[in-house]
C-alpha cells in the first residue's frame, strides 16, 4: 500500500497513452516516481524528462526489483508483451492498473486471472463516463431494452484467415464496445452470428445476443464504414443513445413534420428529451482517465476497487466476445500467443 506521506506509482510503458496516464495520475494525487519500458527504447529518457519522473529503468524487470520507489504499478505496454509484465507484477501483490485489452486472446487473460489478487483493474476507461453510467441506470429500470451496438472499426477488410495482424484494432479497440455493452446490460450470451464474406475473407459481422436480465442486443461490426461508434437502448416510446460513447441522448416520442413547399415529404423526427454530457474533468483530460486514476489511488490507500472498475474477468469476457463473433476458423489455439487470434 501507499508509503507514508504519499502515493507512488511505477509506470511501465512510454507510448502515447502513457502521457495521459501520467497527467491523470497526478490529477488524482498519485506521483509517478519511476518509469521503464522494453530494452532498447528510444523514447524512455525523453519521456521521463518531459514528465519529470526521477527514476528511469532501461528494463521493466529492473523497475519491478526496485520495490522501495513505488507502491503500485501502471502497466501500459504494447499488447504483445502486456501479459508477461502483468504475470511478473502480480507476484508483488500490489495495486495494478493495466491497459486494455491485456492480451490478444481470452485464454491468456484467464491464466492471469487464475493467479491474480483483488487489487487489479483494467483500463476500460469508458466505464467512468457519466453518460455511460446514466445509460446503465436507465437500462436497469423498467422493461428489458432492445439494444444495438455499432462498431465501425478501422479494420482493413475483407480478411482472409492468414491476415492475423490486420484484426488487431478489433481486439485492442472494439473490445471497448463489448466491455461497455456488458457494463451497461450485464452478462451476455451469443445467440447467432452472420459473417459477410467477399474475396475469400470476412468484411462485416452481425450478431444477436441475449443478456441475463432479458435485454436483446444486435451487434453490427461494419468495418471501415464511415460511421460513428454507437449504442442505443429502446423501450416503447423512449430511446437512450450513446453516439458517440461520450454523449448520452434521450428521445421520447416523435414529431410529425407535414409536407411543405420547401420540403414536400412528411418527416418523422425523434423528439429530443435530454442530453447527458461528460464531467468537467473529462473535457480537460482524456475522458475517464482521471476517475480511473482515482480508482487506482483508492487501491493504494487500501480500499477495494469501485464497482465501475473493470477486472481481469471483464477483460477476459470482452476478448472472448471478439473470439466468438469471429468464429472457430479465426480463433487461435488455447495456449495463446502474441498476435490477434486469427
Amino acid at each position: 500500500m501507499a508509503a507514508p506521506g504519499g502515493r507512488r506509482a511505477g509506470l511501465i510503458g512510454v507510448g502515447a497513452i502513457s502521457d495521459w496516464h501520467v497527467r491523470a495520475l497526478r490529477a488524482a494525487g498519485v506521483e509517478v516516481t519511476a518509469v521503464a519500458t522494453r530494452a532498447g527504447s528510444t523514447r524512455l529518457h525523453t519521456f521521463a524528462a518531459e514528465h519529470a519522473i526521477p527514476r528511469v529503468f532501461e528494463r521493466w524487470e529492473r523497475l519491478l526489483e526496485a520495490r522501495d520507489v513505488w507502491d503500485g504499478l501502471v502497466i501500459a505496454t504494447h499488447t504483445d508483451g502486456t501479459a508477461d509484465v502483468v504475470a511478473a507484477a502480480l507476484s508483488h501483490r500490489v495495486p495494478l492498473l493495466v491497459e486494455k485489452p491485456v492480451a490478444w486472446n481470452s485464454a491468456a487473460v484467464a491464466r492471469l486471472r487464475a493467479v491474480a489478487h483483488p487489487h487489479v483493474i483494467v483500463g476500460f476507461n469508458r466505464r467512468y463516463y457519466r453518460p455511460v453510467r446514466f445509460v446503465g441506470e436507465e437500462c436497469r429500470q423498467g422493461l428489458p431494452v432492445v439494444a444495438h451496438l455499432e462498431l465501425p472499426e478501422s479494420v482493413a477488410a475483407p480478411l482472409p484467415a492468414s491476415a492475423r495482424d490486420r484484426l488487431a484494432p478489433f481486439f485492442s479497440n472494439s473490445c471497448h464496445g463489448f466491455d461497455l455493452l456488458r457494463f451497461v446490460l450485464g452478462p451476455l450470451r451469443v445467440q447467432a452470428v452472420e459473417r459477410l464474406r467477399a474475396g475469400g475473407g470476412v468484411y462485416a459481422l452481425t450478431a444477436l445476443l441475449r443478456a441475463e436480465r432479458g435485454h436483446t442486443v444486435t451487434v453490427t461490426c461494419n468495418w471501415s464504414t464511415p460511421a460513428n461508434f454507437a449504442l442505443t437502448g429502446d423501450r416503447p416510446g423512449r430511446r437512450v443513445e450513446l453516439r458517440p460513447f461520450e454523449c448520452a441522448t434521450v428521445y421520447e416520442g416523435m414529431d410529425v413534420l407535414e409536407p411543405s413547399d420547401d420540403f414536400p415529404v412528411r418527416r418523422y423526427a425523434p423528439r429530443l428529451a435530454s442530453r447527458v454530457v461528460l464531467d468537467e474533468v473529462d473535457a480537460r483530460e482524456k475522458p475517464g482517465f482521471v476517475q480511473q486514476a482515482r480508482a487506482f489511488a483508492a487501491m493504494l490507500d487500501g480500499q477495494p476497487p469501485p464497482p465501475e472498475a473493470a477486472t481481469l474477468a471483464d477483460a477476459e469476457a470482452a476478448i472472448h466476445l471478439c473470439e466468438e463473433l469471429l468464429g472457430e476458423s479465426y480463433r487461435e489455439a488455447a495456449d495463446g500467443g502474441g498476435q490477434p487470434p486469427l
Side-chain angles (χ1 to χ4, degrees):
M1 300 306 164
R7 303 159 170 162
R8 305 173 302 170
L11 173 65
I12 301 176
V14 295
I17 202 70
S18 292
D19 292 297
W20 292 108
H21 278 299
V22 173
R23 290 170 58 109
L25 288 164
R26 287 176 173 164
V30 178
E31 189 60 27
V32 181
T33 53
V35 63
T37 188
R38 69 185 187 282
S41 169
T42 59
R43 190 168 185 252
L44 176 61
H45 290 277
T46 300
F47 181 93
E50 288 175 351
H51 294 286
I53 300 173
R55 297 293 300 273
V56 180
F57 296 87
E58 300 288 344
R59 299 178 62 91
W60 60 265
E61 295 92 342
R62 299 292 177 261
L63 185 149
L64 292 186
E65 293 169 359
R67 185 62 187 83
D68 59 326
V69 301
W70 49 265
D71 304 299
L73 296 168
V74 177
I75 300 171
T77 49
H78 191 280
T79 305
D80 284 357
T82 299
D84 290 337
V85 180
V86 173
L90 284 172
S91 65
H92 291 275
R93 311 293 295 180
V94 298
L96 302 180
L97 167 57
V98 185
E99 258 302 330
K100 53 83 185 171
V102 182
W104 290 123
N105 58 85
S106 60
V109 183
R111 288 194 293 273
L112 294 172
R113 187 166 65 86
V115 297
H117 54 81
H119 291 274
V120 180
I121 60 176
V122 179
F124 285 108
N125 56 296
R126 287 172 174 83
R127 286 170 166 248
Y128 301 89
Y129 291 3
R130 185 155 67 103
V132 169
R133 297 196 305 271
F134 168 81
V135 171
E137 287 296 322
E138 175 85 13
C139 292
R140 283 188 283 274
Q141 301 174 19
L143 295 171
V145 301
V146 176
H148 179 68
L149 176 67
E150 185 174 3
L151 298 173
E153 192 58 73
S154 299
V155 171
L159 285 166
S162 59
R164 298 163 55 90
D165 59 326
R166 286 161 57 187
L167 254 185
F170 185 63
F171 286 84
S172 63
N173 194 52
S174 287
C175 67
H176 255 307
F178 294 124
D179 180 72
L180 185 150
L181 188 64
R182 294 184 66 257
F183 179 62
V184 167
L185 299 182
L188 299 161
R189 298 188 309 276
V190 176
Q191 304 290 300
V193 183
E194 290 288 337
R195 302 175 184 92
L196 283 69
R197 299 177 182 273
V202 173
Y203 68 92
L205 305 168
T206 60
L208 176 66
L209 286 69
R210 176 80 66 174
E212 288 184 0
R213 299 172 187 158
H215 308 297
T216 296
V217 188
T218 56
V219 175
T220 302
C221 299
N222 45 336
W223 295 330
S224 297
T225 297
N228 213 329
F229 287 73
L231 173 63
T232 59
D234 298 339
R235 289 193 180 97
R238 185 174 173 90
R239 163 173 284 196
V240 292
E241 179 177 71
L242 292 165
R243 187 188 301 271
F245 293 151
E246 287 73 23
C247 179
T249 306
V250 180
Y251 299 98
E252 291 182 342
M254 300 282 286
D255 288 323
V256 180
L257 307 177
E258 294 296 338
S260 66
D261 291 339
D262 293 332
F263 200 91
V265 176
R266 182 179 288 111
R267 287 168 288 167
Y268 301 87
R271 187 178 299 135
L272 175 65
S274 62
R275 283 197 174 95
V276 179
V277 298
L278 292 168
D279 291 317
E280 183 180 350
V281 68
D282 292 325
R284 301 192 306 270
E285 304 293 340
K286 187 172 177 62
F289 265 50
V290 173
Q291 294 94 321
Q292 182 176 262
R294 289 171 182 161
F296 178 70
M299 293 195 301
L300 291 175
D301 291 339
Q303 302 172 31
E308 63 267 29
T311 65
L312 286 171
D314 293 316
E316 179 186 351
I319 293 298
H320 186 67
L321 270 175
C322 292
E323 294 168 341
E324 279 196 276
L325 295 188
L326 288 172
E328 290 295 336
S329 62
Y330 285 83
R331 189 173 301 177
E332 194 174 41
D335 62 350
Q339 296 292 329
L342 270 186

